[in-house]
Amino acid sequence: MTHLDIQLLLTALVSVLVLVALIVSRLKMHPLLALLVVSVGVGFATGMEPGNIVKQLTNGAGKTLGAMLGKILADAGITEQIAEAILKHASDRMIPWAMTLVAFIVGIPMFFEVGLVVMLPLIFSVARKLEGHARFKGSAYVYVGVPVISALAAMHGMVPPHPGPLTAIATLKTAVGPTMLYGFLAAIPAMILGGPLYGAFISPRMSTRPDQTLLDQFTITEKAENAQRPGIGLGVLAALLPAILMLVHAVAEMVLPKNSPAMQVAGFLGNPLIAMLLGVLFAIVALVVARGGDTEKLRDALGKSLKPIASIIMIIAGGGAFQQMLTSAKVGDAIVNLTQQFAFPPLILGWLIAMLLSVSTGSATVGIVGAAGLLAPLAGADPSLNLPLLALSIGCGSLFFNYANHAGFWMVKESFGMTMGEATKTISVVQSIVAVVGLVMVLIFNAAMPVH
């Protein structure tokens, strides 16, 4: 045996002992959290690169960690405090605008699905209080949720550092800064029209209400309501810590050399899974352990928090399988061949290709990669083409009509307890509005400043 073999065996032994200690000691850490913490530790102990450590961890853990963070915040009364602050300072008519602003901030660094899981406790807490108002008609959950869906979708498809816009930027060899600026400006009217305005129109016509199990998980219990709550500032920090870490990573990508040590640290901490894990651990320490909370009850609560989302994750996985099958069947190639038969201006063509590929395959990434790859030669040959706007146009097109072959569609449907028709009236229509308004803004920007 070599020295390395002995070191690896010792690392394995120590990791098992640490895992058992985290689970059975006074900390009473939930097994999922303990496994993730120990996995990261083993990665560093064996000399793995931070980026490689993240790749070895399961992607699905992000959603389960989001559910855990939501449960901790709900049990500590944080989401209830934020909900009360919003309801106190905003009239019923202004609540969707306040929720749009919160989702806009959360959506800057967070992927759509992760952002929605983080926002669900606040959506449910605000909507639960709002539906108690006798004068309110329709579904409070749609009224509060649609603005969040709109803002998260707009940021996900239009603004770096989200993977779609970054992919288009890299393929077209354009700059992050101008694309981000255009994306922010286009996202504002898109998420307003698709959020507060459309939500006010559709919510009186719907009676959607989430499953009671999810409501019980993500809203405060009577016991917690009577207990002393932590400061709202600390709670907000716990809720936004994952978003802050991801935002730091986004800024670092723009200002730091790609291979610098600081960039590697920012990339590791800002990875969605690591950021969510750190957010959950911080919330446990700050909101439970530091306040003398019962860690065994916390572990039981975290275990229960996973049950309501288990079926959601399974359905999302099924949607992903459907999407992968369509992609493997080369449906995208047929779409690209179809669009080549028509003569459209590049900005509209990019939007159309991304839209058709996304709708047909269920993958916004496929839409963006296909559209950007097809138009890359044109981008290099036409100096008058505004490349940041072309990247934005492609990102907007990828958002159009998110339906049953998209994982996000099923996540919204199951989280809010919707029928297929109700989900179509919400996420499918909302994202279509965002996509179309985004294209309109692209054309307006291009008319105002045609050459970058």
Side-chain angles (χ1 to χ4, degrees):
M1 291 180 66
T2 66
H3 176 71
L4 179 60
D5 291 333
I6 296 173
Q7 182 181 347
L8 291 174
L9 288 172
L10 287 174
T11 301
L13 175 62
V14 171
S15 66
V16 171
L17 294 175
V18 171
L19 177 63
V20 172
L22 290 174
I23 295 173
V24 303
S25 69
R26 194 175 68 86
L27 288 175
K28 297 291 189 297
M29 187 175 285
H30 189 276
L32 174 61
L33 293 177
L35 284 166
L36 290 173
V37 169
V38 171
S39 297
V40 172
V42 169
F44 281 116
T46 55
M48 292 175 64
E49 292 290 328
N52 195 25
I53 293 174
V54 173
K55 288 180 182 178
Q56 304 307 315
L57 297 176
T58 174
N59 290 328
K63 297 181 183 65
T64 59
L65 290 174
M68 286 184 168
L69 180 58
K71 181 62 174 172
I72 297 169
L73 295 175
D75 284 354
I78 299 302
T79 51
E80 199 78 358
Q81 285 181 279
I82 299 174
E84 288 172 356
I86 290 175
L87 291 166
K88 181 179 179 181
H89 295 96
S91 64
D92 289 1
R93 186 172 295 180
M94 292 303 296
I95 284 173
W97 298 87
M99 295 299 293
T100 301
L101 178 60
V102 175
F104 172 80
I105 295 170
V106 170
I108 291 175
M110 284 194 175
F111 296 174
F112 177 85
E113 289 87 352
V114 177
L116 182 60
V117 170
V118 169
M119 288 292 294
L120 279 179
L122 183 57
I123 294 172
F124 289 173
S125 294
V126 172
R128 192 197 67 172
K129 289 180 176 293
L130 189 60
E131 70 177 345
H133 295 186
R135 62 183 179 275
F136 187 82
K137 305 298 181 185
S139 172
Y141 298 90
V142 172
Y143 186 67
V144 176
V146 161
V148 172
I149 293 169
S150 177
L152 292 176
M155 302 308 291
H156 186 85
M158 297 185 188
V159 180
H162 293 286
L166 284 179
T167 300
I169 289 167
T171 305
L172 298 173
K173 295 182 172 57
T174 186
V176 172
T179 309
M180 179 176 280
L181 177 60
Y182 284 135
F184 274 123
L185 294 175
I188 293 171
M191 65 187 185
I192 288 174
L193 287 170
L197 298 185
Y198 179 70
F201 167 77
I202 194 64
S203 57
R205 296 162 173 80
M206 298 179 69
S207 57
T208 298
R209 197 174 195 273
D211 183 86
Q212 190 61 43
T213 307
L214 271 178
L215 288 179
D216 291 342
Q217 173 181 328
F218 283 142
T219 52
I220 196 167
T221 62
E222 184 178 349
K223 181 179 178 181
E225 198 162 358
N226 296 326
Q228 184 178 2
R229 299 173 178 176
I232 191 169
L234 183 63
V236 170
L237 175 60
L240 293 183
L241 182 60
I244 293 170
L245 292 173
M246 293 185 210
L247 187 58
V248 169
H249 177 211
V251 173
E253 282 188 315
M254 292 186 287
V255 301
L256 295 176
K258 187 174 181 180
N259 295 320
S260 67
M263 181 63 228
Q264 290 185 345
V265 172
F268 177 75
L269 297 178
N271 177 273
L273 176 62
I274 299 300
M276 290 299 300
L277 176 60
L278 292 174
V280 172
L281 294 176
F282 177 80
I284 289 174
V285 173
L287 304 180
V288 180
V289 176
R291 300 176 65 237
D294 190 326
T295 53
E296 188 161 358
K297 287 183 179 179
L298 172 66
R299 182 170 69 179
D300 292 341
L302 294 182
K304 292 176 182 177
S305 75
L306 302 181
K307 294 178 183 178
I309 68 162
S311 61
I312 297 176
I313 293 175
M314 293 299 294
I315 292 172
I316 290 172
F322 183 29
Q323 168 229 305
Q324 186 59 47
M325 192 61 66
L326 290 171
T327 303
S328 300
K330 306 295 183 184
V331 173
D333 292 349
I335 296 294
V336 170
N337 293 335
L338 173 65
T339 57
Q340 289 177 328
Q341 308 302 313
F342 302 94
F344 291 104
L347 295 178
I348 296 178
L349 183 61
W351 188 93
L352 281 172
I353 296 173
M355 179 271 287
L356 291 170
L357 287 172
S358 177
V359 170
S360 60
T361 66
S363 171
T365 302
V366 170
I368 290 171
V369 170
L374 184 65
L375 295 178
L378 178 62
D382 186 357
S384 66
L385 186 58
N386 191 317
L387 297 185
L389 285 182
L390 180 58
L392 176 58
S393 176
I394 291 171
C396 292
S398 72
L399 294 172
F400 189 85
F401 204 71
N402 185 307
Y403 194 55
N405 54 347
H406 285 74
F409 174 90
W410 292 103
M411 186 167 192
V412 171
K413 177 187 179 300
E414 296 301 313
S415 296
F416 286 86
M418 294 176 173
T419 64
M420 291 291 290
E422 289 171 334
T424 303
K425 291 175 185 176
T426 50
I427 183 170
S428 300
V429 174
V430 166
Q431 294 209 188
S432 297
I433 293 172
V434 170
V436 171
V437 174
L439 175 62
V440 171
M441 294 303 296
V442 165
L443 298 177
I444 291 173
F445 293 152
N446 189 61
M449 38 190 139
V451 180
H452 173 62

